[in-house]
Amino acid sequence: MQSQLIELPMNKKVALYTLGCKLNFSETSTIARNFEQRGFKRVGFTDRADVYVINTCSVTDNADKKCKKVVKEARRFSPDAYIVIIGCYAQLKPKEIAKIEGVDAVLGAAEKFQLIDLLDGFVRQKEARVIASEIKEANAFVGGYSINDRTRTFLKVQDGCNYNCAFCTIPLARGKSRSSTVEAVLKHAQEIAATDVKEVVLTGVNLGDFGIVEGKRQFKFFDLIKELDKVGGIERFRISSIEPNLLTDEIIDFVAHSKRFVPHFHIPLQSGADAILESMRRRYRKQLYADRIAHIKAKMPHCCIGVDVITGFPGETEELFMETYQFLNELDVSYLHVFTYSERANTAAVAMGNVVPMKTRNQRSKMLRGLSHKKKRIFYEQNIGKTATVLFEHDVQNNVMEGFTENYVRVRAPYDPLKTNTLQQVELLQINQEGLVDINILENSVLKIQS
Ligand code: SF4
């Protein structure tokens, strides 16, 4: 869609709100920077902004309720503000959202990065405007990064997905797989390196599929991480989530030897039963997953491994669920993110029979969350007595600061203003009542990786 550069009144205030994933956070930051470049002042949600941008998610349960609530709150703080809704939910249900009281405009995936120019100076009209092309139009890649608490940033390197998992609306909301170039990501990484940020989390919808530029595969994810590893000034890179079939031995071996890429993987499994993986249209079976975990652990015994799993997918009998439970129980992984299956319009799964009752889905989720708790505790216990490096965050509560080790153990220590946003070598002492690890900071331990 063509847009014109609109003259904007000066000194307007914009507030942005993000629902959903790391990618949404990174995109909200990019849009916020666009506003600032056009003379807007970014303010907090309660600061009576002139324009509110709400970046929505379709994966979260009750996306509609959450969106309505945020709109209502924005109206409460600023009755005359212009309220714009963007994000996955806006792409999937634009007309529905336009009917929410208080909404002025809804923009789709192909339009969201041009919203300043598309919305004619943010003049409120009687009816909400809907500017949402079909998802096949969303083929441009817009990169960016968020700076959250100034210690870490989510760097968006890939968007969209060409897979076709039966439960997932993301390809409908975000379109085809497309990426930045290696060169463009390096430029962003260098910009980040010039700030005070110490950790970069690589983010995408299907991150391991990085490398499709203008419809053609031009790079592999491995090309990207090899180059990023050379960027001076960034001390840690974390890979946010990667499909098991795309997590190759060369990536694992590279991370095992890298000083900057930390030993932490988050690998979606979704089910530990091949019959369910097949009907979910996942591109691997449980043996491949088990092999990936074994390879990681052979190379990096201390590596943290997180797993996404869905309970109650259609056709998941008690027996198949127990297969998943046993598989995960025996697997050397560190924590689970458990999702209870819920029906989404326009997916293949909604038409499937053998629906699992919601009560059973919830019971299964509860069992897996219990297993996750046990796994995490075992993983933390394995780390007690070891030394590790921690990046302490800026957020301080009750005189306590927290941070993560390279392998994602959450630790805490008494607040020391000189230690926030620094990497410190620590000794892991014990698991405390909150389930975090108490530590001892080893003296003179500020770490810096040489570029
Ligand atoms: S890999 Fe599957 S679950 Fe993940 S975004 Fe693509 S379609 Fe959705």
Side-chain angles (χ1 to χ4, degrees):
M1 174 169 300
Q2 289 296 312
S3 61
Q4 284 178 322
L5 226 58
I6 302 291
E7 285 266 331
L8 294 163
M10 295 304 285
N11 303 322
K12 287 235 177 198
K13 294 188 283 184
V14 62
L16 300 101
Y17 189 85
T18 310
L19 291 157
C21 62
K22 296 179 177 105
L23 204 61
N24 269 12
F25 277 95
S26 139
E27 291 179 345
T28 302
S29 296
T30 302
I31 293 167
R33 276 191 288 273
N34 291 344
F35 270 100
E36 282 165 344
Q37 280 160 7
R38 301 288 293 275
F40 275 73
K41 184 168 179 242
R42 186 174 181 181
V43 296
F45 199 84
T46 58
D47 292 334
R48 211 186 161 104
D50 300 292
V51 178
Y52 282 83
V53 179
I54 302 167
N55 195 357
T56 61
C57 169
S58 64
V59 174
T60 341
D61 278 333
N62 302 322
D64 52 341
K65 272 198 205 136
K66 284 184 183 156
C67 182
K68 270 186 203 150
K69 186 156 194 295
V70 181
V71 171
K72 207 168 153 196
E73 286 293 289
R75 273 274 161 262
R76 192 159 74 82
F77 290 115
S78 189
D80 302 321
Y82 194 97
I83 299 181
V84 189
I85 315 293
I86 59 167
C88 293
Y89 182 45
Q91 177 66 39
L92 292 178
K93 302 269 171 72
K95 291 193 184 129
E96 207 170 276
I97 297 174
K99 288 190 198 131
I100 297 177
E101 204 185 319
V103 169
D104 291 300
V106 186
L107 268 67
E111 292 84 13
K112 63 188 171 191
F113 291 107
Q114 304 168 41
L115 74 87
I116 302 175
D117 295 317
L118 289 172
L119 293 176
D120 308 337
F122 302 104
V123 180
R124 298 192 68 200
Q125 312 281 339
K126 249 189 176 161
E127 302 240 315
R129 292 186 64 186
V130 176
I131 316 177
S133 316
E134 280 187 43
I135 193 60
K136 61 179 187 315
E137 304 296 326
N139 44 25
F141 179 81
V142 180
Y145 52 89
S146 65
I147 308 252
N148 299 332
D149 66 348
R150 292 167 289 134
T151 53
R152 53 153 61 169
T153 172
F154 300 131
L155 171 58
K156 176 185 166 188
V157 304
Q158 188 274 342
D159 198 352
C161 184
N162 292 347
Y163 288 14
N164 193 18
C165 302
F167 51 83
C168 183
T169 54
I170 290 177
L172 301 170
R174 286 192 164 269
K176 290 252 176 248
S177 180
R178 55 204 187 274
S179 309
S180 225
T181 60
V182 170
E183 202 188 347
V185 177
L186 288 177
K187 192 166 166 281
H188 276 152
Q190 277 147 4
E191 281 169 30
I192 295 166
T195 69
D196 218 14
V197 167
K198 302 282 188 296
E199 180 173 311
V200 171
V201 183
L202 296 183
T203 308
V205 168
N206 188 343
L207 187 61
D209 196 38
F210 172 87
I212 300 177
V213 182
E214 288 165 8
K216 278 197 217 112
R217 171 147 317 274
Q218 300 195 10
F219 311 97
K220 289 190 298 176
F221 182 64
F222 184 56
D223 301 330
L224 178 69
I225 61 174
K226 265 190 317 191
E227 290 308 313
L228 282 173
D229 205 44
K230 298 176 196 156
V231 176
I234 293 174
E235 277 155 75
R236 281 180 173 180
F237 286 99
R238 211 174 277 279
I239 296 170
S240 62
S241 175
I242 184 161
E243 289 288 306
N245 49 307
L246 298 175
L247 180 56
T248 57
D249 284 355
E250 71 180 351
I251 296 173
I252 296 169
D253 297 348
F254 180 82
V255 170
H257 292 108
S258 166
K259 288 209 166 61
R260 290 197 169 91
F261 276 83
V262 293
H264 176 202
F265 292 103
H266 192 95
I267 317 168
L269 169 69
Q270 311 308 15
S271 172
D274 281 347
I276 297 293
L277 288 174
E278 190 173 351
S279 67
M280 285 176 164
R281 301 186 187 153
R282 302 287 292 163
R283 298 194 178 194
Y284 54 87
R285 296 295 174 259
K286 64 196 284 192
Q287 190 55 50
L288 178 135
Y289 196 94
D291 292 347
R292 302 289 77 212
I293 304 302
H295 189 80
I296 294 169
K297 285 289 174 174
K299 296 290 164 116
M300 293 170 271
H302 59 306
C303 188
C304 179
I305 303 174
V307 184
D308 286 340
V309 56
I310 297 173
T311 62
F313 188 78
E316 188 189 62
T317 57
E318 192 60 25
E319 203 186 352
L320 291 172
F321 169 69
M322 285 315 295
E323 195 181 327
T324 295
Y325 188 94
Q326 287 309 343
F327 181 66
L328 284 166
N329 193 28
E330 282 157 26
L331 213 56
D332 192 0
V333 295
S334 325
Y335 63 91
L336 314 176
H337 280 176
V338 182
F339 300 88
T340 306
Y341 171 73
S342 69
E343 284 75 5
R344 300 273 184 247
N346 302 319
T347 57
V350 268
M352 290 179 182
N354 300 320
V355 170
V356 179
M358 195 43 98
K359 197 171 159 210
T360 311
R361 298 182 206 177
N362 289 332
Q363 281 164 348
R364 291 176 184 173
S365 289
K366 200 170 162 202
M367 273 178 77
L368 285 181
R369 288 194 183 110
L371 180 62
S372 176
H373 191 73
K374 186 180 103 180
K375 293 266 174 200
K376 192 166 161 190
R377 182 134 192 130
I378 293 171
F379 179 66
Y380 276 18
E381 274 164 3
Q382 287 166 351
N383 281 274
I384 298 300
K386 300 214 160 108
T387 53
T389 56
V390 172
L391 174 58
F392 284 105
E393 294 158 6
H394 283 290
D395 282 348
V396 174
Q397 274 175 11
N398 304 328
N399 229 13
V400 167
M401 58 184 185
E402 294 182 4
F404 283 108
T405 63
E406 58 274 66
N407 62 345
Y408 216 55
V409 175
R410 186 95 179 136
V411 309
R412 73 169 197 188
Y415 174 53
D416 177 343
L418 295 177
K419 302 246 174 355
T420 57
N421 201 24
T422 63
L423 285 168
Q424 299 284 332
Q425 198 157 35
V426 306
E427 184 189 5
L428 300 166
L429 298 177
Q430 72 213 3
I431 304 174
N432 62 34
Q433 280 183 339
E434 285 85 45
L436 308 181
V437 174
D438 290 331
I439 46 121
N440 178 27
I441 299 180
L442 301 170
E443 278 312 307
N444 303 322
S445 70
V446 179
L447 296 176
K448 189 149 183 66
I449 294 170
Q450 297 305 313
S451 41

mmCIF file of all heavy atoms in Angstrom, residues 416-445:
data_model
loop_
_atom_site.group_PDB
_atom_site.id
_atom_site.type_symbol
_atom_site.label_atom_id
_atom_site.label_comp_id
_atom_site.label_asym_id
_atom_site.label_seq_id
_atom_site.Cartn_x
_atom_site.Cartn_y
_atom_site.Cartn_z
ATOM 1 N N ASP A 416 23.399 -4.055 44.816
ATOM 2 C CA ASP A 416 24.642 -3.289 44.799
ATOM 3 C C ASP A 416 24.608 -2.445 43.523
ATOM 4 O O ASP A 416 24.669 -2.988 42.418
ATOM 5 C CB ASP A 416 25.838 -4.253 44.785
ATOM 6 C CG ASP A 416 27.158 -3.504 44.700
ATOM 7 O OD1 ASP A 416 27.147 -2.304 44.331
ATOM 8 O OD2 ASP A 416 28.206 -4.121 44.976
ATOM 9 N N PRO A 417 24.461 -1.105 43.681
ATOM 10 C CA PRO A 417 24.313 -0.269 42.483
ATOM 11 C C PRO A 417 25.462 -0.399 41.490
ATOM 12 O O PRO A 417 25.287 -0.138 40.309
ATOM 13 C CB PRO A 417 24.222 1.160 43.043
ATOM 14 C CG PRO A 417 24.633 1.080 44.453
ATOM 15 C CD PRO A 417 24.461 -0.325 44.917
ATOM 16 N N LEU A 418 26.615 -0.807 41.967
ATOM 17 C CA LEU A 418 27.757 -0.930 41.047
ATOM 18 C C LEU A 418 27.694 -2.218 40.221
ATOM 19 O O LEU A 418 28.456 -2.411 39.290
ATOM 20 C CB LEU A 418 29.070 -0.904 41.828
ATOM 21 C CG LEU A 418 29.364 0.405 42.551
ATOM 22 C CD1 LEU A 418 30.647 0.302 43.338
ATOM 23 C CD2 LEU A 418 29.437 1.559 41.555
ATOM 24 N N LYS A 419 26.789 -3.094 40.601
ATOM 25 C CA LYS A 419 26.801 -4.411 39.936
ATOM 26 C C LYS A 419 25.659 -4.593 38.930
ATOM 27 O O LYS A 419 25.671 -5.561 38.165
ATOM 28 C CB LYS A 419 26.731 -5.520 40.993
ATOM 29 C CG LYS A 419 27.889 -5.462 42.001
ATOM 30 C CD LYS A 419 28.764 -6.647 41.873
ATOM 31 C CE LYS A 419 30.035 -6.739 42.662
ATOM 32 N NZ LYS A 419 30.556 -5.731 43.477
ATOM 33 N N THR A 420 24.651 -3.677 38.936
ATOM 34 C CA THR A 420 23.577 -3.874 37.960
ATOM 35 C C THR A 420 24.122 -3.622 36.552
ATOM 36 O O THR A 420 25.022 -2.804 36.350
ATOM 37 C CB THR A 420 22.371 -2.944 38.215
ATOM 38 O OG1 THR A 420 22.825 -1.613 38.207
ATOM 39 C CG2 THR A 420 21.674 -3.275 39.516
ATOM 40 N N ASN A 421 23.548 -4.335 35.615
ATOM 41 C CA ASN A 421 23.997 -4.311 34.222
ATOM 42 C C ASN A 421 25.492 -4.602 34.058
ATOM 43 O O ASN A 421 26.164 -4.035 33.203
ATOM 44 C CB ASN A 421 23.631 -2.994 33.530
ATOM 45 C CG ASN A 421 23.623 -3.163 32.019
ATOM 46 O OD1 ASN A 421 23.441 -4.261 31.504
ATOM 47 N ND2 ASN A 421 23.850 -2.087 31.296
ATOM 48 N N THR A 422 25.991 -5.472 34.912
ATOM 49 C CA THR A 422 27.361 -5.976 34.726
ATOM 50 C C THR A 422 27.307 -7.497 34.780
ATOM 51 O O THR A 422 26.391 -8.074 35.375
ATOM 52 C CB THR A 422 28.322 -5.511 35.846
ATOM 53 O OG1 THR A 422 27.872 -6.059 37.087
ATOM 54 C CG2 THR A 422 28.425 -4.003 35.929
ATOM 55 N N LEU A 423 28.303 -8.098 34.167
ATOM 56 C CA LEU A 423 28.433 -9.556 34.276
ATOM 57 C C LEU A 423 29.357 -9.848 35.444
ATOM 58 O O LEU A 423 30.474 -9.324 35.495
ATOM 59 C CB LEU A 423 29.038 -10.119 32.995
ATOM 60 C CG LEU A 423 28.108 -10.199 31.788
ATOM 61 C CD1 LEU A 423 28.901 -10.496 30.545
ATOM 62 C CD2 LEU A 423 27.056 -11.269 31.991
ATOM 63 N N GLN A 424 28.892 -10.666 36.340
ATOM 64 C CA GLN A 424 29.671 -10.986 37.533
ATOM 65 C C GLN A 424 29.872 -12.485 37.625
ATOM 66 O O GLN A 424 28.947 -13.251 37.330
ATOM 67 C CB GLN A 424 28.920 -10.532 38.797
ATOM 68 C CG GLN A 424 28.649 -9.053 38.878
ATOM 69 C CD GLN A 424 29.883 -8.253 39.239
ATOM 70 O OE1 GLN A 424 30.795 -8.758 39.924
ATOM 71 N NE2 GLN A 424 29.940 -7.019 38.787
ATOM 72 N N GLN A 425 31.065 -12.841 38.067
ATOM 73 C CA GLN A 425 31.270 -14.264 38.303
ATOM 74 C C GLN A 425 30.759 -14.585 39.705
ATOM 75 O O GLN A 425 31.068 -13.854 40.662
ATOM 76 C CB GLN A 425 32.740 -14.609 38.193
ATOM 77 C CG GLN A 425 32.930 -16.087 37.996
ATOM 78 C CD GLN A 425 34.257 -16.399 37.355
ATOM 79 O OE1 GLN A 425 35.246 -15.729 37.606
ATOM 80 N NE2 GLN A 425 34.294 -17.433 36.550
ATOM 81 N N VAL A 426 29.956 -15.626 39.807
ATOM 82 C CA VAL A 426 29.331 -15.938 41.094
ATOM 83 C C VAL A 426 29.472 -17.420 41.401
ATOM 84 O O VAL A 426 29.684 -18.245 40.510
ATOM 85 C CB VAL A 426 27.817 -15.574 41.087
ATOM 86 C CG1 VAL A 426 27.584 -14.139 40.673
ATOM 87 C CG2 VAL A 426 27.012 -16.532 40.215
ATOM 88 N N GLU A 427 29.292 -17.692 42.694
ATOM 89 C CA GLU A 427 29.194 -19.091 43.117
ATOM 90 C C GLU A 427 27.745 -19.337 43.491
ATOM 91 O O GLU A 427 27.135 -18.524 44.196
ATOM 92 C CB GLU A 427 30.103 -19.290 44.334
ATOM 93 C CG GLU A 427 30.162 -20.700 44.806
ATOM 94 C CD GLU A 427 30.897 -20.806 46.152
ATOM 95 O OE1 GLU A 427 31.267 -19.767 46.730
ATOM 96 O OE2 GLU A 427 31.071 -21.943 46.609
ATOM 97 N N LEU A 428 27.163 -20.423 43.001
ATOM 98 C CA LEU A 428 25.749 -20.705 43.274
ATOM 99 C C LEU A 428 25.666 -21.479 44.594
ATOM 100 O O LEU A 428 26.276 -22.549 44.733
ATOM 101 C CB LEU A 428 25.142 -21.521 42.126
ATOM 102 C CG LEU A 428 25.208 -20.820 40.754
ATOM 103 C CD1 LEU A 428 24.910 -21.778 39.628
ATOM 104 C CD2 LEU A 428 24.250 -19.654 40.682
ATOM 105 N N LEU A 429 24.922 -20.911 45.556
ATOM 106 C CA LEU A 429 24.965 -21.473 46.907
ATOM 107 C C LEU A 429 23.816 -22.421 47.224
ATOM 108 O O LEU A 429 24.027 -23.549 47.627
ATOM 109 C CB LEU A 429 24.949 -20.327 47.936
ATOM 110 C CG LEU A 429 26.128 -19.360 47.880
ATOM 111 C CD1 LEU A 429 25.941 -18.250 48.897
ATOM 112 C CD2 LEU A 429 27.439 -20.095 48.126
ATOM 113 N N GLN A 430 22.582 -21.910 47.084
ATOM 114 C CA GLN A 430 21.434 -22.748 47.476
ATOM 115 C C GLN A 430 20.164 -22.223 46.842
ATOM 116 O O GLN A 430 20.093 -21.053 46.480
ATOM 117 C CB GLN A 430 21.272 -22.742 48.996
ATOM 118 C CG GLN A 430 20.765 -21.421 49.497
ATOM 119 C CD GLN A 430 21.304 -21.049 50.871
ATOM 120 O OE1 GLN A 430 22.124 -21.774 51.433
ATOM 121 N NE2 GLN A 430 20.873 -19.932 51.385
ATOM 122 N N ILE A 431 19.159 -23.089 46.756
ATOM 123 C CA ILE A 431 17.855 -22.661 46.240
ATOM 124 C C ILE A 431 17.084 -22.079 47.417
ATOM 125 O O ILE A 431 16.981 -22.705 48.470
ATOM 126 C CB ILE A 431 17.082 -23.853 45.630
ATOM 127 C CG1 ILE A 431 17.922 -24.516 44.536
ATOM 128 C CG2 ILE A 431 15.743 -23.404 45.066
ATOM 129 C CD1 ILE A 431 17.343 -25.779 43.955
ATOM 130 N N ASN A 432 16.585 -20.861 47.235
ATOM 131 C CA ASN A 432 15.872 -20.224 48.349
ATOM 132 C C ASN A 432 14.369 -20.511 48.290
ATOM 133 O O ASN A 432 13.898 -21.224 47.403
ATOM 134 C CB ASN A 432 16.183 -18.725 48.406
ATOM 135 C CG ASN A 432 15.729 -18.003 47.143
ATOM 136 O OD1 ASN A 432 14.717 -18.372 46.548
ATOM 137 N ND2 ASN A 432 16.472 -17.000 46.732
ATOM 138 N N GLN A 433 13.634 -19.906 49.240
ATOM 139 C CA GLN A 433 12.196 -20.217 49.345
ATOM 140 C C GLN A 433 11.400 -19.798 48.114
ATOM 141 O O GLN A 433 10.375 -20.384 47.792
ATOM 142 C CB GLN A 433 11.615 -19.517 50.560
ATOM 143 C CG GLN A 433 11.929 -20.280 51.833
ATOM 144 C CD GLN A 433 11.293 -19.646 53.037
ATOM 145 O OE1 GLN A 433 10.961 -18.468 53.011
ATOM 146 N NE2 GLN A 433 11.125 -20.427 54.080
ATOM 147 N N GLU A 434 11.882 -18.747 47.445
ATOM 148 C CA GLU A 434 11.171 -18.299 46.233
ATOM 149 C C GLU A 434 11.532 -19.147 45.007
ATOM 150 O O GLU A 434 11.070 -18.875 43.895
ATOM 151 C CB GLU A 434 11.501 -16.840 45.914
ATOM 152 C CG GLU A 434 10.822 -15.823 46.813
ATOM 153 C CD GLU A 434 11.600 -15.599 48.086
ATOM 154 O OE1 GLU A 434 12.839 -15.457 48.010
ATOM 155 O OE2 GLU A 434 10.987 -15.596 49.165
ATOM 156 N N GLY A 435 12.409 -20.111 45.207
ATOM 157 C CA GLY A 435 12.791 -20.971 44.082
ATOM 158 C C GLY A 435 13.906 -20.354 43.235
ATOM 159 O O GLY A 435 14.228 -20.874 42.168
ATOM 160 N N LEU A 436 14.489 -19.240 43.706
ATOM 161 C CA LEU A 436 15.648 -18.676 43.000
ATOM 162 C C LEU A 436 16.916 -19.174 43.700
ATOM 163 O O LEU A 436 16.847 -19.764 44.771
ATOM 164 C CB LEU A 436 15.611 -17.145 43.050
ATOM 165 C CG LEU A 436 14.320 -16.470 42.590
ATOM 166 C CD1 LEU A 436 14.459 -14.957 42.678
ATOM 167 C CD2 LEU A 436 13.999 -16.876 41.170
ATOM 168 N N VAL A 437 18.053 -18.884 43.100
ATOM 169 C CA VAL A 437 19.297 -19.377 43.698
ATOM 170 C C VAL A 437 20.043 -18.213 44.354
ATOM 171 O O VAL A 437 20.253 -17.161 43.732
ATOM 172 C CB VAL A 437 20.160 -20.080 42.624
ATOM 173 C CG1 VAL A 437 21.515 -20.473 43.194
ATOM 174 C CG2 VAL A 437 19.441 -21.315 42.098
ATOM 175 N N ASP A 438 20.387 -18.408 45.621
ATOM 176 C CA ASP A 438 21.220 -17.422 46.313
ATOM 177 C C ASP A 438 22.663 -17.633 45.874
ATOM 178 O O ASP A 438 23.085 -18.774 45.638
ATOM 179 C CB ASP A 438 21.127 -17.613 47.833
ATOM 180 C CG ASP A 438 19.758 -17.215 48.366
ATOM 181 O OD1 ASP A 438 19.124 -16.331 47.746
ATOM 182 O OD2 ASP A 438 19.330 -17.796 49.374
ATOM 183 N N ILE A 439 23.389 -16.519 45.800
ATOM 184 C CA ILE A 439 24.749 -16.636 45.272
ATOM 185 C C ILE A 439 25.742 -15.838 46.103
ATOM 186 O O ILE A 439 25.365 -15.015 46.931
ATOM 187 C CB ILE A 439 24.811 -16.088 43.824
ATOM 188 C CG1 ILE A 439 24.075 -14.734 43.729
ATOM 189 C CG2 ILE A 439 24.233 -17.031 42.831
ATOM 190 C CD1 ILE A 439 24.920 -13.659 43.286
ATOM 191 N N ASN A 440 26.974 -16.098 45.814
ATOM 192 C CA ASN A 440 28.064 -15.330 46.387
ATOM 193 C C ASN A 440 28.824 -14.721 45.211
ATOM 194 O O ASN A 440 29.273 -15.448 44.325
ATOM 195 C CB ASN A 440 28.942 -16.322 47.174
ATOM 196 C CG ASN A 440 30.133 -15.672 47.781
ATOM 197 O OD1 ASN A 440 30.087 -14.475 48.065
ATOM 198 N ND2 ASN A 440 31.196 -16.431 47.961
ATOM 199 N N ILE A 441 28.907 -13.381 45.195
ATOM 200 C CA ILE A 441 29.633 -12.759 44.080
ATOM 201 C C ILE A 441 31.132 -12.872 44.365
ATOM 202 O O ILE A 441 31.592 -12.477 45.440
ATOM 203 C CB ILE A 441 29.226 -11.281 43.914
ATOM 204 C CG1 ILE A 441 27.730 -11.193 43.601
ATOM 205 C CG2 ILE A 441 30.058 -10.611 42.815
ATOM 206 C CD1 ILE A 441 27.190 -9.796 43.420
ATOM 207 N N LEU A 442 31.849 -13.418 43.425
ATOM 208 C CA LEU A 442 33.291 -13.582 43.633
ATOM 209 C C LEU A 442 33.961 -12.230 43.415
ATOM 210 O O LEU A 442 33.641 -11.518 42.455
ATOM 211 C CB LEU A 442 33.833 -14.653 42.685
ATOM 212 C CG LEU A 442 33.143 -16.016 42.883
ATOM 213 C CD1 LEU A 442 33.510 -16.986 41.774
ATOM 214 C CD2 LEU A 442 33.492 -16.610 44.239
ATOM 215 N N GLU A 443 34.817 -11.853 44.295
ATOM 216 C CA GLU A 443 35.413 -10.517 44.257
ATOM 217 C C GLU A 443 36.178 -10.251 42.948
ATOM 218 O O GLU A 443 36.729 -11.155 42.351
ATOM 219 C CB GLU A 443 36.360 -10.333 45.448
ATOM 220 C CG GLU A 443 35.647 -9.955 46.734
ATOM 221 C CD GLU A 443 34.629 -8.817 46.584
ATOM 222 O OE1 GLU A 443 35.002 -7.762 46.070
ATOM 223 O OE2 GLU A 443 33.452 -9.010 46.959
ATOM 224 N N ASN A 444 36.185 -8.973 42.569
ATOM 225 C CA ASN A 444 36.908 -8.529 41.369
ATOM 226 C C ASN A 444 36.545 -9.353 40.127
ATOM 227 O O ASN A 444 37.411 -9.787 39.388
ATOM 228 C CB ASN A 444 38.424 -8.585 41.580
ATOM 229 C CG ASN A 444 38.824 -7.754 42.766
ATOM 230 O OD1 ASN A 444 38.258 -6.681 42.990
ATOM 231 N ND2 ASN A 444 39.733 -8.270 43.557
ATOM 232 N N SER A 445 35.259 -9.606 40.015
ATOM 233 C CA SER A 445 34.889 -10.573 38.988
ATOM 234 C C SER A 445 34.205 -9.971 37.782
ATOM 235 O O SER A 445 33.660 -10.691 36.970
ATOM 236 C CB SER A 445 33.947 -11.596 39.605
ATOM 237 O OG SER A 445 32.708 -10.978 39.872
#
